[in-house]
Amino acid sequence: MDRTDVAAPARPCHRTPGDAHPAGPVHTAAEARAYARSVVLDEWNSAFRTARERDVIDLQLVVSELVSNAIRHGGGLAGFEATATPEGVRLAVHDHSAAVPAAAFGPGDLPRGHQGSGYGWPLIIRLARDIVVEPRPEGGKTIRVLVPLRAEADQAPG
C-alpha cells in the first residue's frame, strides 16, 4: 500500500461553499471519511438545514470505496478533495494509474454469488451521481462524483 503523503494547503477557517478544498494530508480511507464529514458539518449544514445522517453514511461509503480503490488499484492516493454544493458533496479522488475501472460505467449490478470483491463500483454507482473519470496531466486519473445530500425534515427556523 502506498503511504506517500498527499500534501495540500492548510484548511482555511472559513470557506466559500462550492470552492474545491483539498484535504490536508490524507493517507487512508478513514482520514478521507473524516474530512468529508467535516465538509458536511462545516459547509453544507447551516442554521436552516442539517444533512440526513443516512446520506452522510452514504457519502462515507462512497469515500471509502473510491479512496480504497485508489490505494489498492490506482498506484496510491495522489489527492482527495471534497466540495459542498447545494445538491450535496462533490468528491475528487486522484491516483497514479491511468487505467479506467471497467465497472465505473456499468449498470451497477452486484456480483453473482459471494466472490469477496466486486461490490465497490456497484455501490458507488447506486449512491453517487455525475461520475466522471478523467486523466491527470501529470499522469494517473481523477474520479469525480457527486454524492447527494438531503436535509432532515423539520428544519424550519423556530
Side-chain angles (χ1 to χ4, degrees):
M1 179 184 316
D2 186 320
R3 302 280 303 186
T4 306
D5 281 354
V6 180
R11 197 171 147 184
C13 295
H14 175 45
R15 298 182 293 198
T16 305
D19 290 344
H21 301 287
V26 171
H27 306 100
T28 67
E31 291 169 349
R33 285 191 306 269
Y35 181 76
R37 180 177 275 280
S38 76
V39 167
V40 173
L41 296 175
D42 297 345
E43 296 180 35
W44 200 86
N45 287 353
S46 72
F48 304 106
R49 74 173 182 200
T50 302
R52 292 176 8 156
E53 185 61 22
R54 73 171 62 165
D55 292 348
V56 176
I57 291 168
D58 288 350
L59 170 66
Q60 293 191 311
L61 286 168
V62 172
V63 167
S64 288
E65 290 299 329
L66 289 173
V67 171
S68 296
N69 284 348
I71 293 168
R72 180 177 288 165
H73 306 292
L77 185 62
F80 176 80
E81 298 170 42
T83 306
T85 72
E87 298 83 22
V89 175
R90 287 202 178 275
L91 303 173
V93 178
H94 314 285
D95 69 25
H96 298 285
S97 171
V100 175
F105 301 103
D109 294 336
L110 295 173
R112 295 187 181 198
H114 180 66
Q115 301 168 346
S117 64
Y119 294 91
W121 273 104
L123 182 98
I124 293 165
I125 290 167
R126 290 170 184 222
L127 299 178
R129 307 286 176 269
D130 305 335
I131 298 169
V132 176
V133 181
E134 56 193 14
R136 295 174 57 225
E138 60 275 25
K141 67 181 167 299
T142 297
I143 298 176
R144 299 181 191 281
V145 303
L146 169 68
V147 180
L149 296 177
R150 295 165 288 182
E152 290 283 357
D154 301 322
Q155 291 293 312

